[in-house]
Amino acid sequence: MAGKVVVLTSGKGGVGKTTSAAAIAAGLALRGHRTVVIDFDVGLRNLDLIMGCERRVVFDFINVINGDAKLNQALIKDKRSDNLYIFPTSQTRDKDALKRDGVERVLNELKESFDYIVCDSPAGIEHGAITALYFADSAVIVTNPEVSSVRDSDRIIGILASKSRRAEFNLEPVAVHLLLSRYSPERVRKGEMLTVEDVKEILSIPLLGVIPESESVLKASNTGTPVVFDEESPAGRAYHDAVARFLGEQRELRFLQPERRSFFRALFGRA
Amino acid sequence: MGLLNLLFPERRTSAVIARERLKIVLAHERASRDAPDFLPVLQRELLDVIGRYVEIRGDMIRVNVGKSGDTSLLEINVELDGAKVTPTKNGAAEDGKGVAKIDPGAATPWVKPS
C-alpha cells in the first residue's frame, strides 16, 4: 500500500482547517478508506478535541519522531469508525521539534498501512506550516469568502508550487483543491460576501466543495464529533460531497441558495 | 446576457469592491512572488553606484524581471528627471570626467519600458 498525503492548509488562521481536516478524514474513512489524521500544529494541539479523543492521548507525533514511542503507541483509533485513526501532536514542545527527516520517516511508515494521511497544518507560513505541506501529494486550500483569507490562500498556493517536495524534485505538482468554507448564501445574495465564482476565478484552482456557514459546526466541535457524522447538517452533507469529489465523483454543488424558512419553522422560530 | 447586463448593471456592493481589490493586489503580489531573490539586492547596489554620480532616491529606480516571447528580460528603469549631479566624492573626478551628464530637460528614461 502506498498512501497519499493530503494537507489541509490556508495561511490564515480560524478559517476551519481543523474542522475540515476532521470532517474530510472521517468522510474518507466512512467510505472505506483507511485514514489517519495528523495534527501538525505543535504547541497548539486541537485536533484531539475536535475528534473527541483528548483524554486518550498518551504519546504524540514528536515522541514518535524522536523515537521515544512507537507509531502504534501514539495512534488513537477512532471509536466511530474502524478505518479512522488520530495522530495527536505535542502540546508542550515548540514547532521546531518537527524535523523534516523525522517527519518523512514517520509519513513513510504511515504510507505502508494507510490509504490517506490527512495533515492538519498550522496557520501561517512558518516552519510548522511549511513542514506540513512539504510532503503533500495533494492539498486542500481552506478559504473563507473574505479578502484576507483569499489573499493568504493565494500565497499558500504559490508556496506549494515552489517549496513543496514535489516542486523541489520536479515531480508532478501537488494537486491543489479549493474548499470554500463558512459560505453564507444569504449574505452573498445581498452582495455582502464574495461569491463562490469570485473566489474560484481569483484563485483559479479546481473547486472541491462549498461548506455553508452552519450552526452544526459549533455543535460538532462542542461534542468532539466530526461534522460528517451529523446526517442532518448541511455542512456535514457538504463535506460528504467534497470527499466524494476528492475521490473523483461528479457531484452538483448544494447549499448555494439561501434556505427557505418553512411556515412551520418561522412560526416556532426554529432554525 | 449582454442586454441583461446593460439593463441591470452590477451594483457596486461591498462584495464587488472586495473582488476588485483582491484582483489588483494579487496581480501585483504574484508578479513579485515569481521574481528572483537577488532583485532587491541588485536594486540596492545599483542605487549605490548610480548615487555616486547622481542624487537619486530609492523610489527612482525599478528593477523587474519579465518575459517577452522566448526572451527573459531584465528591465532596469532609472528615473533621473530633475536629479542633480552628486557633489564630488572620491571616485568621481574633480573636473567632472566620469560623472554622468544630466540634461535637466530630458524626460526620456535611459531604458525604454517595454
Side-chain angles (χ1 to χ4, degrees):
Chain A
M1 196 180 284
K4 290 263 173 289
V5 179
V6 185
V7 65
L8 277 95
T9 184
S10 68
K12 190 173 181 303
V15 296
K17 273 186 302 296
T18 304
T19 300
S20 300
I24 286 177
L28 286 166
L30 287 174
R31 289 176 143 255
H33 300 283
R34 280 181 61 82
T35 305
V36 59
V37 54
I38 312 181
D39 193 345
F40 269 79
D41 204 349
V42 180
L44 291 169
R45 174 206 285 173
N46 270 322
L47 181 69
D48 56 337
L49 265 184
I50 300 300
M51 295 296 294
C53 64
E54 68 277 10
R55 286 153 59 107
R56 296 163 66 204
V57 177
V58 182
F59 294 110
D60 60 51
F61 197 14
I62 306 299
N63 293 141
V64 177
I65 288 175
N66 292 344
D68 301 332
K70 291 238 160 51
L71 193 53
N72 57 16
Q73 291 177 294
L75 289 180
I76 302 172
K77 198 190 148 302
D78 188 81
K79 285 186 168 154
R80 293 150 296 217
S81 166
D82 286 340
N83 293 321
L84 184 56
Y85 286 78
I86 300 110
F87 197 178
T89 194
S90 167
Q91 177 71 306
T92 50
R93 307 294 285 269
D94 65 78
K95 57 187 184 317
D96 297 327
L98 282 176
K99 296 270 182 297
R100 195 170 275 182
D101 52 345
V103 171
E104 181 169 30
R105 207 185 58 242
V106 174
L107 288 179
N108 284 339
E109 202 178 333
L110 288 168
K111 280 183 189 176
E112 287 170 21
S113 37
F114 288 96
D115 300 316
Y116 290 102
I117 299 143
V118 177
C119 304
D120 180 22
S121 168
I125 50 171
E126 313 255 319
H127 179 75
I130 302 298
T131 310
L133 66 78
Y134 182 77
F135 295 102
D137 297 307
S138 46
V140 176
I141 314 295
V142 186
T143 307
N144 291 167
E146 177 272 326
V147 286
S148 56
S149 173
V150 176
R151 181 200 219 169
D152 290 359
S153 293
D154 192 72
R155 184 102 167 80
I156 281 285
I157 294 166
I159 291 173
L160 277 159
S162 61
K163 296 220 164 78
S164 62
R165 186 184 66 95
R166 282 174 172 271
E168 244 172 47
F169 289 91
N170 268 322
L171 305 169
E172 195 184 322
V174 178
V176 285
H177 310 270
L178 170 64
L179 186 69
L180 192 58
S181 65
R182 310 203 68 164
Y183 195 72
S184 167
E186 182 60 33
R187 304 200 71 182
V188 170
R189 189 185 62 79
K190 289 187 194 155
E192 295 174 0
M193 185 179 267
L194 290 164
T195 69
V196 53
E197 286 80 18
D198 289 342
V199 183
K200 234 177 88 176
E201 188 201 331
I202 291 167
L203 294 178
S204 54
I205 57 171
L207 180 67
L208 190 66
V210 179
I211 312 300
E213 175 82 65
S214 166
E215 290 174 9
S216 54
V217 173
L218 181 58
K219 276 197 244 168
S221 90
N222 284 344
T223 58
T225 319
V227 72
V228 286
F229 288 106
D230 183 351
E231 298 292 332
E232 301 288 300
S233 151
R237 285 183 283 160
Y239 275 117
H240 275 296
D241 287 353
V243 169
R245 289 187 203 104
F246 183 80
L247 295 169
E249 259 182 54
Q250 297 285 328
R251 284 206 184 180
E252 288 284 307
L253 286 172
R254 297 193 276 177
F255 316 110
L256 296 189
Q257 299 308 319
E259 213 180 321
R260 278 201 211 108
R261 281 165 74 90
S262 72
F263 169 72
F264 227 60
R265 281 187 171 177
L267 196 64
F268 293 104
R270 286 203 31 196
Chain B
M1 201 58 200
L3 185 67
L4 269 177
N5 281 344
L6 208 66
L7 286 173
F8 304 102
E10 191 170 40
R11 281 181 303 145
R12 272 192 68 79
T13 59
S14 65
V16 172
I17 295 167
R19 183 181 67 205
E20 285 167 7
R21 290 176 61 219
L22 269 171
K23 280 186 179 169
I24 292 165
V25 74
L26 290 184
H28 187 77
E29 286 175 358
R30 282 171 189 156
S32 56
R33 186 163 72 204
D34 299 332
D37 294 341
F38 65 75
L39 276 194
V41 183
L42 175 64
Q43 176 156 351
R44 212 166 42 241
E45 289 187 7
L46 281 169
L47 188 68
D48 237 38
V49 172
I50 298 171
R52 283 185 219 152
Y53 303 95
V54 186
E55 281 179 358
I56 188 173
R57 292 186 316 273
D59 59 342
M60 291 164 82
I61 176 164
R62 279 183 305 278
V63 181
N64 281 309
V65 169
K67 257 195 173 320
S68 163
D70 286 341
T71 323
S72 288
L73 219 62
L74 174 64
E75 186 188 318
I76 300 171
N77 279 303
V78 187
E79 182 192 318
L80 288 177
D81 205 12
K84 277 197 221 106
V85 174
T86 308
T88 332
K89 269 188 213 153
N90 32 330
E94 289 282 352
D95 59 356
K97 268 184 205 157
V99 176
K101 291 259 189 335
I102 308 300
D103 174 9
T108 9
W110 291 79
V111 181
K112 276 191 183 159
S114 52

